[in-house]
Each structure stands twice: as structure tokens, then as C-alpha cells.
């Protein structure tokens, strides 16, 4: 069942009514408006007046903004989210100010490098808040070090910390901050003279755009690695092909999708195993299969996606972030296949595996919206899941 493409106030009223387990008639009985008007507003035939919205909000016990505008994806209260994000933003903005006079003690370089690696690991384990809290101080220390005693290792560590800032910001629904972090990552990676890290940065930038810009960014990353045959370069090049397959899927270019997936499969065979140690990309056969599923979903080929999802068995070594993404994708295609109970079960599994990440994944919201539209009255478990993501 395809998701409806409407996002007007009426559709949001319908969602909240169903989450409240009310029929249209039961809602009409609670407000000074007719059943006919409720029906026409929900389908978009008539606009929702301010008085109508206020009456419905009171009847459903929700804020009017949840009916008139898209609710925030983030489930954290604004003040708590700001407390996580603001220090990261400030730390990123110190990049060109030279040595920091406020830094009185700096950890030894090996400890800073290890700390940058630990933060990458925390994000892959979906410990987003822990990573967000530790990130600003590490960025400040590393920024101070690269201005006082620069080395290839510290520039690489700083680039890695900026990459983590991008990942955290994106998962917390701050794409503007994610772009700033990627700019800083490119700045540090170029000074580390690390073409693989620069290529990863362009891959990440490419995933934030659509169309020609995405293609140019990712292909330019491939150009940085032309002729390189190290395992690291092969893994990064393979990941770039997966990125190009994703771009092709968004453009409904099935031939391009298959060409890039085929190239990625060949590189995965050459790399051997799952290259989880290469820039935390986890490039390998499993990652290729996950992208096969993702491109099928993007292109709306849900029959193929369902077969791929049901055939895919993740190895125990799969990173938590990858496992959670698979579970959400599985929930989405099960919903599209008309299996709401199975879909909700996979969403619950994703929430159990990685609650912070699952809450913010766009697929989670899309699946819950689809399930709400499939249900005349949302079951308690679906209502609880919707409230959990702030819907």
C-alpha cells in the first residue's frame, strides 16, 4: 500500500484521530462541527479554519501545531537537544582561530587519536548522546593541537572528529550543522594529505544532495583514488559506487543502479570480508546487499524489496547502526506488503536494538504514517510508537 503524498492539515487531523482511536463520527460528536465537514477537511476538499483546528486539538488533547505543521522528528525536548547541539556548533566554529588560550591541558596525541576512534565507534553503536557530549571537548583539543604541533596523525584525528560531528548532527535532524561539519572535515583531510579520507568526505557530501551535485561530488571522490589498489582504497571506492547507486535510484535510473551495484559487488569480492576497519564504512558483501534493498525501496519496487529483505540474514558482526537501519527498512516493506502486525514488530525490534537512531530515521516516521493510514483505529502499540517519535 503506497503512502499518501498529501501532508495538509486534514491529513494530520486524520492521523491524530486514528491514533486517538476515534471514528470521524466520534470526533464530530466532540466538536461543534458536522461529520460532513470533518470528512471533507480530512480528505482536503475543504480547508481547516483556525476555529476548526482549535476545536479538534482540544478534543484530541494535542497542540494545534501538531495539526497545522509537520511535528518535529526529534523526540528530545528542544532545550535538551540544544544542550547537545550548541557546544558542537561552537567547537566547529573555532577551526581557524589558531591556538586556544583557554586550553590549559591537552591529552597526549595517542589518547586524542584513540578518543576520535572511540567516538566513531559510539555512533556506529548508536550511542548518540554519549558521542554528542564528548565531541566538543575533543574537537577543541584537537584544533588546539593542529595549530601548535601539527602532524598527519592529528589532522586525520581532527578530520575523523568532524566526520563524527556530521553523523551526530544528521541523526539528530540538524542537516545545516552536518554540512558545516563536512566542510571542516574536508579542510582537515586536505591538510592530512589523505585521499581516502577526502573521498569519504565527498561521499558524505554527495548523500546530502540530489541529482547532478551528488553525482559530481561522489565521482570526484572516485577520481581521488584512481589507480590506487590498497585495501583501504578499494573499500572506499566500493562505498562510492554504493553512493552512486543510491543517487541513480533517486533518479529512477535502473540501469545505473545495477551498474554501480555490480561494480560494488566486484570490489567487495576483492576486499574480502567486511571492511569495518576502513573509515567505519563497513564495506563488504553485506553492505552491498543492504544497499540493494535500499535502492529497491527508493525506486518503489516493493515486491523486489520484500524478497530481498526476507532473504537477507545479517551476520552477528553487523554494526548496530546497520542492523537498526535494516529493521526499519524491513518494517517499511512489510507495511507496503500489507502486513501491519509484522511491520510493527520489526519497528519494535529496531527500537529495542537502537532507540536513539530508530527514533530519528525518516523510514520510522514513514512506516508509522503508513500504518496509521492503514488502520481505522490505531492499536495501542502503534499509538505508543507514534507518541515515542513525537508524531
Amino acid at each position: 500500500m503506497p503512502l499518501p503524498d498529501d501532508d495538509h492539515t486534514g491529513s494530520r487531523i486524520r492521523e491524530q484521530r486514528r491514533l486517538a482511536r476515534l471514528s470521524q463520527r466520534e470526533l464530530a460528536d466532540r466538536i461543534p462541527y458536522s461529520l460532513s465537514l470533518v470528512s471533507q477537511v480530512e480528505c482536503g476538499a475543504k480547508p481547516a479554519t483556525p476555529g476548526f483546528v482549535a476545536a479538534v486539538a482540544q478534543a484530541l488533547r494535542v497542540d494545534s501545531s501538531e495539526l497545522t505543521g509537520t511535528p518535529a522528528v526529534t523526540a528530545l525536548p528542544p532545550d535538551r537537544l540544544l544542550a547537545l547541539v550548541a557546544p558542537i556548533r561552537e567547537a566547529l566554529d573555532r577551526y581557524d582561530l589558531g591556538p586556544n588560550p583557554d586550553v590549559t591541558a591537552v591529552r597526549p596525541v595517542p589518547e586524542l587519536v584513540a578518543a576520535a576512534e572511540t567516538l566513531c565507534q559510539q555512533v556506529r553503536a548508536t550511542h548518540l548522546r554519549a558521542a554528542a557530549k564528548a565531541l566538543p571537548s575533543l574537537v577543541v583539543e584537537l584544533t588546539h593541537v593542529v595549530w601548535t604541533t601539527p602532524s598527519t596523525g592529528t589532522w586525520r584525528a581532527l578530520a575523523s572528529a568532524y566526520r563524527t560531528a556530521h553523523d551526530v548532527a544528521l541523526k539528530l535532524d540538524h542537516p545545516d550543522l552536518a554540512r558545516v561539519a563536512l566542510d571542516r572535515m574536508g579542510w582537515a583531510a586536505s591538510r592530512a594529505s589523505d585521499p581516502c579520507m577526502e573521498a569519504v568526505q565527498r561521499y558524505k557530501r554527495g548523500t546530502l544532495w540530489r541529482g547532478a551535485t551528488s553525482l559530481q561530488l561522489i565521482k570526484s571522490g572516485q577520481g581521488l583514488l584512481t589507480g590506487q589498489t590498497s585495501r583501504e582504497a578499494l573499500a572506499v571506492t566500493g562505498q562510492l559506487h554504493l553512493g552512486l547507486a543510491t543517487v541513480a535510484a533517486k533518479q529512477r535510473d535502473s540501469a545505473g543502479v545495477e551498474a554501480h551495484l555490480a561494480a560494488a559487488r566486484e570490489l567487495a569480492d576483492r576486499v574480502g570480508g567486511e571492511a569495518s576497519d576502513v573509515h567505519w564504512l563497513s564495506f563488504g558483501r553485506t553492505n552491498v546487499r543492504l544497499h540493494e534493498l535500499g535502492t529497491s525501496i527508493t525506486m518503489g519496487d516493493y515486491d523486489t524489496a520484500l524478497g530481498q529483505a526476507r532473504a537477507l540474514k545479517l551476520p552477528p558482526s553487523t554494526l548496530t547502526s546497520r542492523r537498526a537501519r535494516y529493521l526499519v527498512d524491513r518494517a517499511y516493506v512489510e507495511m507496503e506488503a500489507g502486513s501491519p502486525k509484522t511491520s510493527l514488530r520489526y519497528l519494535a525490534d529496531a527500537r529495542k536494538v537502537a532507540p536513539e537512531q530508530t527514533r530519528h530515521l525518516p523510514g520510522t516516521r514513514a512506516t508509522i504514517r503508513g500504518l496509521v493510514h492503514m488502520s481505522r483505529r490505531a492499536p495501542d502499540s502503534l499509538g505508543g510508537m507514534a507518541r515515542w517519535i513525537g508524531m
Side-chain angles (χ1 to χ4, degrees):
M1 174 182 176
L3 281 173
D5 59 6
D6 56 343
D7 193 31
H8 51 77
T9 298
S11 72
R12 289 188 283 271
I13 289 173
R14 181 174 60 235
E15 288 176 0
Q16 292 299 325
R17 172 180 62 76
R18 288 176 173 174
L19 287 172
R21 307 188 73 182
L22 296 177
S23 66
Q24 288 184 338
R25 180 172 295 280
E26 287 170 329
L27 175 59
D29 288 343
R30 298 186 181 192
I31 61 177
Y33 295 91
S34 68
L35 170 62
S36 175
L37 183 60
V38 170
S39 177
Q40 291 180 76
V41 168
E42 286 195 0
C43 71
K46 284 192 175 182
T49 65
F52 183 88
V53 170
V56 171
Q58 183 177 4
L60 298 180
R61 299 181 181 179
V62 299
D63 191 271
S64 295
S65 64
E66 293 190 39
L67 306 178
T68 57
T70 303
V73 173
T74 290
L76 285 175
D79 56 336
R80 291 178 62 189
L81 186 62
L82 180 62
L84 283 178
V85 172
I88 298 175
R89 192 181 298 276
E90 183 178 1
L92 296 183
D93 212 28
R94 295 199 60 88
Y95 79 106
D96 61 349
L97 297 182
N100 189 339
D102 296 329
V103 175
T104 57
V106 177
R107 286 172 283 179
V109 169
E111 288 187 24
L112 293 174
V113 172
E117 189 72 3
T118 297
L119 287 187
C120 279
Q121 187 174 11
Q122 284 184 324
V123 171
R124 299 311 172 278
T126 69
H127 300 154
L128 300 182
R129 287 187 228 189
K133 289 177 181 178
L135 185 60
S137 61
L138 177 63
V139 170
V140 169
E141 282 186 84
L142 283 168
T143 304
H144 179 78
V145 170
V146 298
W147 281 111
T148 54
T149 54
S151 67
T152 297
T154 53
W155 280 114
R156 283 175 58 92
L158 181 57
S160 176
Y162 285 145
R163 184 256 185 94
T164 297
H166 158 269
D167 292 345
V168 169
L170 202 59
K171 292 178 186 297
L172 293 180
D173 196 37
H174 275 67
D176 61 325
L177 182 59
R179 294 181 193 280
V180 172
L182 283 185
D183 286 343
R184 303 293 184 266
M185 179 184 175
W187 174 76
S190 64
R191 283 157 177 79
S193 300
D194 187 332
C196 282
M197 186 165 280
E198 288 186 73
V200 171
Q201 188 260 4
R202 297 191 189 188
Y203 164 75
K204 291 285 188 179
R205 286 170 61 193
T207 61
L208 293 177
W209 296 99
R210 288 178 176 267
T213 301
S214 291
L215 288 173
Q216 292 170 6
L217 284 167
I218 298 175
K219 287 182 177 179
S220 69
Q222 287 183 326
L224 295 173
L225 304 178
T226 301
Q228 296 199 31
T229 58
S230 67
R231 182 172 180 269
E232 178 187 18
L234 292 177
V236 174
T237 301
Q239 190 68 34
L240 292 173
H241 274 294
L242 293 179
L244 288 169
T246 300
V247 173
K250 292 176 181 178
Q251 298 177 336
R252 298 297 191 269
D253 176 10
S254 56
V257 169
E258 184 49 44
H260 289 297
L261 288 175
R265 290 187 201 101
E266 189 270 334
L267 286 165
D269 289 340
R270 292 174 64 185
V271 169
E274 306 298 320
S276 59
D277 56 326
V278 178
H279 298 288
W280 292 97
L281 295 173
S282 295
F283 177 74
R285 298 181 184 92
T286 299
N287 202 6
V288 172
R289 297 188 69 187
L290 287 169
H291 277 75
E292 290 172 350
L293 169 60
T295 53
S296 294
I297 293 173
T298 299
M299 296 183 71
D301 186 357
Y302 300 118
D303 288 340
T304 298
L306 185 63
Q308 292 169 332
R310 291 178 174 176
L312 186 52
K313 306 299 180 185
L314 299 182
S317 59
T318 303
L319 292 172
T320 302
S321 57
R322 302 277 182 184
R323 188 176 299 278
R325 179 62 181 267
Y326 161 74
L327 290 170
V328 171
D329 283 349
R330 178 71 182 269
Y332 184 80
V333 295
E334 293 288 354
M335 180 271 294
E336 289 286 356
S339 302
K341 290 184 179 179
T342 303
S343 174
L344 193 55
R345 176 164 56 84
Y346 278 103
L347 271 186
D349 289 345
R351 179 179 179 177
K352 187 182 302 182
V353 166
E356 293 183 12
Q357 175 175 332
T358 300
R359 178 186 286 128
H360 301 291
L361 281 174
T364 300
R365 188 176 188 83
T367 302
I368 292 174
R369 286 197 68 187
L371 291 173
V372 170
H373 280 274
M374 291 173 68
S375 306
R376 291 184 62 85
R377 299 190 184 202
D380 290 340
S381 55
L382 178 57
M385 190 72 73
R387 288 190 294 274
W388 177 63
I389 68 167
M391 183 173 167

